[in-house]
Amino acid sequence: MLARRVLRWTGDALAVFLVVSSAFLHGPQQAPRSASVVAVIAVVAAALLLLLRRRWPIPVLAGCVALYGLAAVTGTVAPGIILAVAIAMFGLANRSTRRVTILAAAITAGAVFLLSVLGAVVSASDPRMVQFTLAVAFAAAAGDATRSRREYIVAVTERAERAEQTREAEARRRVSEERLRIARDLHDTVAHQIAVISLNAGVASSSLESPERAQEALSTIRSASRTVLREIGDLLALLRAEDPDAETMTPPSGLGRLDDLVEQFARSGLAVHLRVEGDPGRVSGAVDLVAYHVIQEGLTNALKHGTDQRAHVLVEVADEHVTVVVTNPTVPSAGRAEVGGTGAGHGLIGLRERVASVRGVVETGTTAGGYRLAATLPLAKERP
């Protein structure tokens, strides 16, 4: 800020010096003393007016032209005032639009020409008239170029700032999406196995008088613990991988592994009745993975909150979509399953996000027969 003020004061001082000093330079033809005194007064007044050109550019330019006319009436050619007019023209062009600059330059050049001819200080064919006109035109062009360059720099700076803000917003969005993806994967990896461990730990503690049942529960806990440790290890390996798209050691889940999923829940004590209509082989990609997770989430909630330890799974593959429905008996107090069974709703929240990612629709709620989780997922159209 201080450097800008010093530069401004230096420019003002230099402009005043150049304008005033020109009043004491005389050509071969000396003007009358009275005219010279008037010219000096006019030049000094024009120089002082230049100090106000930043605040009032148009009045200052008009005042300089008027002072030139005053000098011309006395029969004196005042190059210093022409210099002041050029400086004022530059200041106006530097702070106005191009349209205003062109209009002001034309009026100023015409006014200088008329005042010179009317004052009989120079003739219309005098080379100095060309010099005066070129001085005004050059000052207008230089001021307009300076303004255009300043506006260009401002525009470039603003675009750079917007681009930086856009990059930061995109980075925050990517981080947020990655956090949500990790949260969903971690829930899908851990929630089911932890539920199995918790339920079987309760069975084992209540079956201490029945060694066989306790042994079976502890065996299930040991198996589930190994599974969850392996899956967490695969997830951590994926997070540490340089290539985020690299395949994990565990084969991707899908409807092809549905029998294994049902068997896992059967070992945990949940009787699952599975019915598949249509060809599951037509379901592939992200839709296949989402359908698997819908069934896994529904069976996990049935195991944690359902009654009678049984559930029904329906997979219906139609021409344009696949429908997955998981139902299980429940009691009114078990309505917490609608929010994922944890009270925070992370399970079904993540499930809704997964279903939405493939443009599907998920429905949850209690029915006459218990609790129902249903998802409709669109299939990719086959190319002919």
Side-chain angles (χ1 to χ4, degrees), residues 255 258 274-280 282-283 291 295 313-325 372 375-377 379:
L255 295 181
L258 193 54
L274 174 63
R275 186 176 68 178
V276 179
E277 298 180 0
D279 182 15
R282 297 182 55 242
V283 185
I295 298 174
V313 177
L314 170 62
V315 179
E316 182 181 2
V317 182
D319 294 336
E320 298 182 353
H321 63 271
V322 55
T323 302
V324 177
V325 182
R372 180 176 182 270
T376 302
L377 312 174
L379 297 177

Short mmCIF file of all heavy atoms in Angstrom, two decimals, residues 255 258 274-280 282-283 291 295 313-325 372 375-377 379:
data_model
loop_
_atom_site.label_atom_id
_atom_site.label_comp_id
_atom_site.label_asym_id
_atom_site.label_seq_id
_atom_site.Cartn_x
_atom_site.Cartn_y
_atom_site.Cartn_z
N LEU A 255 -24.30 -62.40 -6.47
CA LEU A 255 -25.32 -63.43 -6.34
C LEU A 255 -24.76 -64.82 -6.58
O LEU A 255 -25.36 -65.81 -6.16
CB LEU A 255 -26.46 -63.14 -7.33
CG LEU A 255 -27.24 -61.84 -7.07
CD1 LEU A 255 -28.36 -61.69 -8.10
CD2 LEU A 255 -27.82 -61.83 -5.66
N LEU A 258 -24.28 -66.47 -3.29
CA LEU A 258 -25.44 -66.42 -2.42
C LEU A 258 -25.60 -67.67 -1.57
O LEU A 258 -25.97 -67.59 -0.39
CB LEU A 258 -26.70 -66.20 -3.28
CG LEU A 258 -27.98 -65.80 -2.54
CD1 LEU A 258 -27.73 -64.56 -1.69
CD2 LEU A 258 -29.10 -65.54 -3.54
N LEU A 274 -34.60 -69.67 0.57
CA LEU A 274 -34.16 -68.91 -0.60
C LEU A 274 -34.95 -69.34 -1.82
O LEU A 274 -35.10 -70.53 -2.10
CB LEU A 274 -32.66 -69.12 -0.84
CG LEU A 274 -32.08 -68.51 -2.12
CD1 LEU A 274 -32.19 -66.99 -2.08
CD2 LEU A 274 -30.62 -68.94 -2.29
N ARG A 275 -35.46 -68.33 -2.56
CA ARG A 275 -36.15 -68.61 -3.81
C ARG A 275 -35.62 -67.67 -4.88
O ARG A 275 -35.60 -66.45 -4.69
CB ARG A 275 -37.66 -68.43 -3.66
CG ARG A 275 -38.44 -68.87 -4.91
CD ARG A 275 -39.93 -68.75 -4.69
NE ARG A 275 -40.35 -67.36 -4.58
CZ ARG A 275 -41.64 -66.99 -4.42
NH1 ARG A 275 -42.59 -67.91 -4.32
NH2 ARG A 275 -41.94 -65.71 -4.32
N VAL A 276 -35.20 -68.27 -5.99
CA VAL A 276 -34.63 -67.50 -7.09
C VAL A 276 -35.48 -67.72 -8.32
O VAL A 276 -35.71 -68.87 -8.73
CB VAL A 276 -33.17 -67.92 -7.37
CG1 VAL A 276 -32.61 -67.11 -8.54
CG2 VAL A 276 -32.31 -67.71 -6.13
N GLU A 277 -35.95 -66.63 -8.92
CA GLU A 277 -36.75 -66.69 -10.14
C GLU A 277 -36.01 -65.93 -11.23
O GLU A 277 -35.61 -64.79 -11.05
CB GLU A 277 -38.14 -66.07 -9.91
CG GLU A 277 -38.96 -66.79 -8.87
CD GLU A 277 -40.33 -66.15 -8.67
OE1 GLU A 277 -40.60 -65.13 -9.36
OE2 GLU A 277 -41.11 -66.64 -7.84
N GLY A 278 -35.84 -66.57 -12.37
CA GLY A 278 -35.09 -65.97 -13.45
C GLY A 278 -33.65 -66.43 -13.44
O GLY A 278 -33.25 -67.33 -12.69
N ASP A 279 -32.85 -65.82 -14.29
CA ASP A 279 -31.44 -66.20 -14.45
C ASP A 279 -30.55 -65.21 -13.73
O ASP A 279 -30.36 -64.08 -14.20
CB ASP A 279 -31.09 -66.24 -15.93
CG ASP A 279 -29.65 -66.67 -16.17
OD1 ASP A 279 -29.04 -67.20 -15.22
OD2 ASP A 279 -29.15 -66.48 -17.30
N PRO A 280 -29.97 -65.58 -12.57
CA PRO A 280 -29.08 -64.64 -11.86
C PRO A 280 -27.83 -64.30 -12.65
O PRO A 280 -27.17 -63.30 -12.36
CB PRO A 280 -28.73 -65.41 -10.57
CG PRO A 280 -29.76 -66.48 -10.45
CD PRO A 280 -30.15 -66.84 -11.85
N ARG A 282 -27.66 -63.05 -15.44
CA ARG A 282 -27.85 -61.80 -16.16
C ARG A 282 -27.52 -60.58 -15.31
O ARG A 282 -27.41 -59.47 -15.83
CB ARG A 282 -29.30 -61.69 -16.65
CG ARG A 282 -29.69 -62.77 -17.66
CD ARG A 282 -31.11 -62.59 -18.16
NE ARG A 282 -31.31 -61.26 -18.71
CZ ARG A 282 -32.17 -60.38 -18.24
NH1 ARG A 282 -32.91 -60.69 -17.17
NH2 ARG A 282 -32.31 -59.19 -18.80
N VAL A 283 -27.37 -60.81 -14.02
CA VAL A 283 -27.04 -59.71 -13.11
C VAL A 283 -25.52 -59.66 -12.97
O VAL A 283 -24.89 -60.66 -12.58
CB VAL A 283 -27.70 -59.90 -11.73
CG1 VAL A 283 -27.44 -58.69 -10.85
CG2 VAL A 283 -29.19 -60.14 -11.88
N ALA A 291 -26.96 -56.07 -5.02
CA ALA A 291 -27.98 -57.07 -4.69
C ALA A 291 -27.50 -58.01 -3.58
O ALA A 291 -28.25 -58.35 -2.65
CB ALA A 291 -28.36 -57.87 -5.93
N ILE A 295 -29.14 -58.42 0.39
CA ILE A 295 -29.48 -59.68 1.06
C ILE A 295 -28.68 -59.83 2.35
O ILE A 295 -29.23 -60.24 3.39
CB ILE A 295 -29.23 -60.86 0.11
CG1 ILE A 295 -30.13 -60.73 -1.12
CG2 ILE A 295 -29.48 -62.19 0.81
CD1 ILE A 295 -29.85 -61.77 -2.19
N VAL A 313 -35.88 -65.16 1.53
CA VAL A 313 -35.18 -64.34 0.54
C VAL A 313 -35.75 -64.66 -0.83
O VAL A 313 -35.83 -65.84 -1.22
CB VAL A 313 -33.66 -64.59 0.56
CG1 VAL A 313 -32.98 -63.77 -0.55
CG2 VAL A 313 -33.08 -64.23 1.91
N LEU A 314 -36.12 -63.61 -1.56
CA LEU A 314 -36.63 -63.77 -2.92
C LEU A 314 -35.76 -62.94 -3.86
O LEU A 314 -35.56 -61.75 -3.64
CB LEU A 314 -38.09 -63.28 -3.01
CG LEU A 314 -38.66 -63.16 -4.43
CD1 LEU A 314 -38.70 -64.53 -5.12
CD2 LEU A 314 -40.04 -62.51 -4.41
N VAL A 315 -35.24 -63.60 -4.88
CA VAL A 315 -34.48 -62.93 -5.93
C VAL A 315 -35.22 -63.15 -7.24
O VAL A 315 -35.32 -64.29 -7.72
CB VAL A 315 -33.04 -63.46 -6.03
CG1 VAL A 315 -32.29 -62.75 -7.14
CG2 VAL A 315 -32.32 -63.30 -4.70
N GLU A 316 -35.75 -62.07 -7.81
CA GLU A 316 -36.53 -62.16 -9.05
C GLU A 316 -35.85 -61.34 -10.13
O GLU A 316 -35.72 -60.11 -10.03
CB GLU A 316 -37.95 -61.64 -8.80
CG GLU A 316 -38.84 -61.74 -10.03
CD GLU A 316 -40.23 -61.21 -9.76
OE1 GLU A 316 -40.48 -60.73 -8.63
OE2 GLU A 316 -41.07 -61.26 -10.67
N VAL A 317 -35.37 -62.03 -11.16
CA VAL A 317 -34.67 -61.38 -12.27
C VAL A 317 -35.63 -61.23 -13.43
O VAL A 317 -36.05 -62.22 -14.05
CB VAL A 317 -33.42 -62.18 -12.69
CG1 VAL A 317 -32.68 -61.45 -13.80
CG2 VAL A 317 -32.51 -62.43 -11.50
N ALA A 318 -36.00 -59.98 -13.73
CA ALA A 318 -36.90 -59.69 -14.84
C ALA A 318 -36.09 -59.20 -16.04
O ALA A 318 -34.85 -59.25 -16.05
CB ALA A 318 -37.94 -58.66 -14.41
N ASP A 319 -36.78 -58.72 -17.07
CA ASP A 319 -36.09 -58.29 -18.28
C ASP A 319 -35.27 -57.02 -18.05
O ASP A 319 -34.16 -56.90 -18.56
CB ASP A 319 -37.11 -58.03 -19.40
CG ASP A 319 -37.80 -59.32 -19.84
OD1 ASP A 319 -37.19 -60.40 -19.65
OD2 ASP A 319 -38.93 -59.25 -20.37
N GLU A 320 -35.81 -56.08 -17.29
CA GLU A 320 -35.15 -54.79 -17.13
C GLU A 320 -34.67 -54.52 -15.72
O GLU A 320 -33.99 -53.51 -15.51
CB GLU A 320 -36.10 -53.66 -17.56
CG GLU A 320 -36.51 -53.74 -19.02
CD GLU A 320 -37.40 -52.58 -19.41
OE1 GLU A 320 -37.79 -51.82 -18.50
OE2 GLU A 320 -37.71 -52.44 -20.61
N HIS A 321 -35.00 -55.35 -14.75
CA HIS A 321 -34.58 -55.10 -13.38
C HIS A 321 -34.52 -56.40 -12.60
O HIS A 321 -35.08 -57.42 -13.03
CB HIS A 321 -35.54 -54.11 -12.70
CG HIS A 321 -36.93 -54.64 -12.57
ND1 HIS A 321 -37.88 -54.45 -13.56
CD2 HIS A 321 -37.55 -55.36 -11.59
CE1 HIS A 321 -39.01 -55.03 -13.20
NE2 HIS A 321 -38.84 -55.57 -11.99
N VAL A 322 -33.86 -56.33 -11.46
CA VAL A 322 -33.81 -57.44 -10.52
C VAL A 322 -34.38 -56.94 -9.20
O VAL A 322 -34.05 -55.85 -8.73
CB VAL A 322 -32.37 -57.98 -10.34
CG1 VAL A 322 -31.42 -56.87 -9.93
CG2 VAL A 322 -32.34 -59.10 -9.31
N THR A 323 -35.25 -57.74 -8.60
CA THR A 323 -35.87 -57.39 -7.33
C THR A 323 -35.38 -58.35 -6.25
O THR A 323 -35.37 -59.57 -6.45
CB THR A 323 -37.41 -57.47 -7.43
OG1 THR A 323 -37.85 -56.60 -8.47
CG2 THR A 323 -38.05 -57.07 -6.12
N VAL A 324 -34.95 -57.78 -5.14
CA VAL A 324 -34.46 -58.57 -4.00
C VAL A 324 -35.34 -58.23 -2.81
O VAL A 324 -35.48 -57.05 -2.45
CB VAL A 324 -32.98 -58.26 -3.70
CG1 VAL A 324 -32.53 -59.02 -2.47
CG2 VAL A 324 -32.11 -58.59 -4.89
N VAL A 325 -35.92 -59.24 -2.18
CA VAL A 325 -36.80 -59.06 -1.03
C VAL A 325 -36.35 -59.98 0.09
O VAL A 325 -36.15 -61.18 -0.12
CB VAL A 325 -38.28 -59.35 -1.39
CG1 VAL A 325 -39.17 -59.11 -0.17
CG2 VAL A 325 -38.73 -58.51 -2.57
N ARG A 372 -39.82 -56.24 6.34
CA ARG A 372 -39.57 -56.46 4.92
C ARG A 372 -38.54 -55.44 4.41
O ARG A 372 -38.67 -54.24 4.64
CB ARG A 372 -40.87 -56.31 4.12
CG ARG A 372 -40.74 -56.52 2.61
CD ARG A 372 -42.13 -56.43 1.98
NE ARG A 372 -42.08 -56.67 0.54
CZ ARG A 372 -41.92 -55.71 -0.38
NH1 ARG A 372 -41.80 -54.45 0.03
NH2 ARG A 372 -41.91 -56.02 -1.66
N ALA A 375 -35.51 -54.22 -2.55
CA ALA A 375 -34.76 -53.31 -3.42
C ALA A 375 -35.01 -53.71 -4.86
O ALA A 375 -34.97 -54.90 -5.20
CB ALA A 375 -33.28 -53.34 -3.10
N THR A 376 -35.23 -52.71 -5.70
CA THR A 376 -35.40 -52.91 -7.14
C THR A 376 -34.24 -52.24 -7.84
O THR A 376 -34.05 -51.02 -7.72
CB THR A 376 -36.73 -52.33 -7.63
OG1 THR A 376 -37.80 -52.94 -6.90
CG2 THR A 376 -36.91 -52.58 -9.11
N LEU A 377 -33.45 -53.04 -8.57
CA LEU A 377 -32.24 -52.54 -9.20
C LEU A 377 -32.36 -52.70 -10.71
O LEU A 377 -32.63 -53.81 -11.20
CB LEU A 377 -31.02 -53.31 -8.69
CG LEU A 377 -30.91 -53.47 -7.17
CD1 LEU A 377 -29.75 -54.38 -6.81
CD2 LEU A 377 -30.76 -52.12 -6.50
N LEU A 379 -31.31 -53.30 -14.52
CA LEU A 379 -30.27 -54.04 -15.22
C LEU A 379 -29.77 -53.25 -16.42
O LEU A 379 -30.54 -52.51 -17.06
CB LEU A 379 -30.79 -55.41 -15.67
CG LEU A 379 -31.21 -56.38 -14.55
CD1 LEU A 379 -31.77 -57.65 -15.17
CD2 LEU A 379 -30.03 -56.70 -13.65
#
